[in-house]
Amino acid sequence: MAQTTESAASAPAPPTPSSPRRTPRVHRAWFVAAVTFVTIIGAAAFASLPGLLIEPLHEEFDWSRGTIGFAVSVNLALYGLTAPFAAALMDRFGIRRVVAVALTIISVGSLLTVWMTAAWQLVLFWGVLVGLGSGSMALAFAATVTNRWFVARRGLVTGILTAAGASGQLVFLPLLSWLVEDHGWRPAAVTVSLAALAVVPFVWLLLRDHPADTGLAPYGGEYAEKPAPVTGAARRAVTVLLKAARTGPFWLLAGTFAICGASTNGLVKTHFVPAAHDHGMPVTAAAGLLAVIGVFDVVGTIASGWFTDRFEARRLLAVYYALRGISLLFLPILLAPTVNPPMLFFIVFYGLDWVATVPPTIALCREHYGEDSAIVFGWVLASHQVGAAVVAFAGGVARDVFGRYDLVWYASGALCAAAALMALVIRRPRTKTPSLAGA
């Protein structure tokens, strides 16, 4: 009996979820990244729709393009302003809960637009609800997953997760444009609602908040216990902002990313389809071109992640913004009733650069702000969406006033040139940056 007791005492304790265990052949981090990728793809459906709604809503309700653009701008602004608080909420309540709730809010907001009859309802349902939901699982979601689950290959994973949004655009944009053209905008809004809702079970069942939940170290790193939930999420987000705002790199990153949002989500994603339609191009053809941008965006963003692991991030940003500005200056002379080879060249060229800026921007946030980099990036993303919101609204007003979009294309090209110069001014940190919230 004593021998049995001694044998039992010397037997190894069974593994617990919080103790390290042998790393499997395929690290669990890659499965988490895959679930995150699918989640962002499913949620990307709502981002494909605004540019397709401008003409149908204008024709049905006689709302001005500026009014519709305002609703889109509210959506984009809240998308950005919610992101830093969402990153802090993920630290408090976990990634899985925050993302599941966010997807549900997106689904409800999109579905409610089916019954709207006034412009303020568009602002409330699409602008506020979808904006809050999408902001809660924006790129800060990808940054948080990458920071927690990966030490090695962070740039590559960031590029892959960022490309997920473009993949979602690729999947949904042709379908949504066909629905809008042949069946009206309401079936398209319902499709967006169902797509967001369909992802919720995958998030709840398959996503895990931290490597320690599965007894593993992050990919390429050492095992660490799961930190205790961080209370005061809103206070922490504001504290990190106030600390970061005292540093020069934050304002340079925020300024360049505001121009990034202005020249992508605010301009091309929102106004390319109606601008091409102004020149006689069918809506389905214009939407197809945006989908092609999504194809090459996947390639460009993953390549940018690979480059970010190997080259200086600020120089990559300067090159990306300069090339984007040049391409936008040529766009007004390329728009025509049919798709011609020069336009295809623009689509490929611009697509490779669409969100290639994200991996080096996240890398610079991580380099300068350490453990708080996800929250700092959330605030930088807020500037991205504020820039997008301003141009989404200004583009609609410019079209109402001047009858064409040319001025907006030229102004955005000039802004991209300024962003390239701003990126080169960012200095490398001299020492490792501690947590801003505890500074």
Side-chain angles (χ1 to χ4, degrees):
M1 181 71 175
Q3 183 177 3
T4 303
T5 304
E6 180 180 352
S7 175
S10 61
T16 63
S18 61
S19 61
R21 60 184 176 85
R22 185 176 180 182
T23 303
R25 180 171 297 180
V26 179
H27 198 287
R28 179 65 179 267
W30 293 109
F31 292 102
V32 172
V35 174
T36 305
F37 186 90
V38 173
T39 302
I40 296 174
I41 285 179
F46 68 87
S48 304
L49 194 55
L52 302 177
L53 291 181
I54 292 178
E55 290 300 325
L57 294 180
H58 173 69
E59 292 176 3
E60 179 171 339
F61 298 105
D62 199 28
W63 298 337
S64 71
R65 293 174 179 83
T67 298
I68 301 168
F70 176 72
V72 176
S73 71
V74 171
N75 176 290
L76 294 173
L78 286 177
Y79 177 101
L81 293 172
T82 306
F85 296 97
L89 285 172
M90 289 178 189
D91 287 341
R92 175 67 179 89
F93 298 105
I95 299 173
R96 183 170 60 169
R97 291 179 181 177
V98 172
V99 173
V101 171
L103 286 166
T104 303
I105 292 174
I106 290 170
S107 178
V108 171
S110 180
L111 186 62
L112 287 175
T113 60
V114 172
W115 294 284
M116 67 182 178
T117 56
W120 67 266
Q121 294 169 338
L122 176 66
V123 175
L124 175 62
F125 300 151
W126 193 265
V128 177
L129 289 181
V130 176
L132 288 173
S134 58
S136 298
M137 54 161 299
L139 290 174
F141 171 39
T144 301
V145 169
T146 304
N147 288 348
R148 290 187 183 183
W149 282 89
F150 291 87
V151 174
R153 301 289 186 269
R154 276 178 170 170
L156 177 62
V157 175
T158 300
I160 292 173
L161 296 183
T162 303
S167 299
Q169 177 177 297
L170 167 65
V171 170
F172 290 104
L173 194 53
L175 171 64
L176 294 177
S177 64
W178 172 76
L179 286 173
V180 170
E181 190 80 358
D182 291 1
H183 301 283
W185 61 271
R186 287 180 176 82
V190 172
T191 300
V192 168
S193 176
L194 294 177
L197 194 62
V199 182
V200 173
F202 292 94
V203 171
W204 194 255
L205 296 174
L206 301 177
L207 196 62
R208 292 294 178 267
D209 293 327
H210 194 278
D213 289 339
T214 57
L216 295 173
Y219 181 81
E222 298 180 356
Y223 178 83
E225 293 292 337
K226 182 178 180 179
V230 180
T231 58
R235 183 174 65 253
R236 184 184 177 208
V238 174
T239 300
V240 169
L241 171 64
L242 294 176
K243 297 289 186 180
R246 299 175 186 174
T247 65
F250 173 79
W251 292 106
L252 291 169
L253 288 169
T256 55
F257 224 43
I259 294 172
C260 178
S263 56
T264 53
N265 291 2
L267 182 62
V268 174
K269 183 172 284 187
T270 303
H271 293 292
F272 177 81
V273 172
H277 188 60
D278 284 346
H279 287 76
M281 185 180 294
V283 170
T284 50
L289 289 177
L290 273 186
V292 175
I293 286 179
V295 175
F296 288 94
D297 179 29
V298 174
V299 177
T301 309
I302 294 175
S304 178
W306 187 86
F307 289 144
T308 302
D309 285 332
R310 290 161 176 80
F311 300 103
E312 191 176 352
R314 67 190 188 99
R315 297 186 183 276
L316 289 175
L317 282 181
V319 171
Y320 296 156
Y321 284 120
L323 293 176
R324 182 184 299 175
I326 292 171
S327 66
L328 286 173
L329 292 176
F330 281 96
L331 181 57
I333 64 175
L334 300 178
L335 291 169
T338 58
V339 179
N340 49 52
M343 173 57 79
L344 288 176
F345 179 80
F346 166 83
I347 293 297
V348 172
F349 188 87
Y350 186 85
L352 291 171
D353 199 357
W354 177 274
V355 286
T357 56
V358 173
T361 299
I362 291 179
L364 287 169
C365 287
R366 188 182 301 120
E367 190 175 325
H368 284 273
Y369 303 107
E371 295 178 0
D372 292 312
S373 60
I375 297 177
V376 173
F377 178 70
W379 285 112
V380 171
L381 178 63
S383 71
H384 180 282
Q385 295 306 112
V386 170
V390 170
V391 173
F393 175 64
V397 172
R399 172 61 177 79
D400 289 333
V401 173
F402 301 107
R404 56 196 308 166
Y405 285 99
D406 290 8
L407 178 64
V408 186
W409 304 123
Y410 293 137
S412 295
L415 285 174
C416 288
L421 296 176
M422 292 167 64
L424 291 175
V425 177
I426 301 172
R427 296 181 178 179
R428 302 188 68 176
R430 296 179 182 177
T431 57
K432 186 177 180 181
T433 304
S435 171
L436 292 173

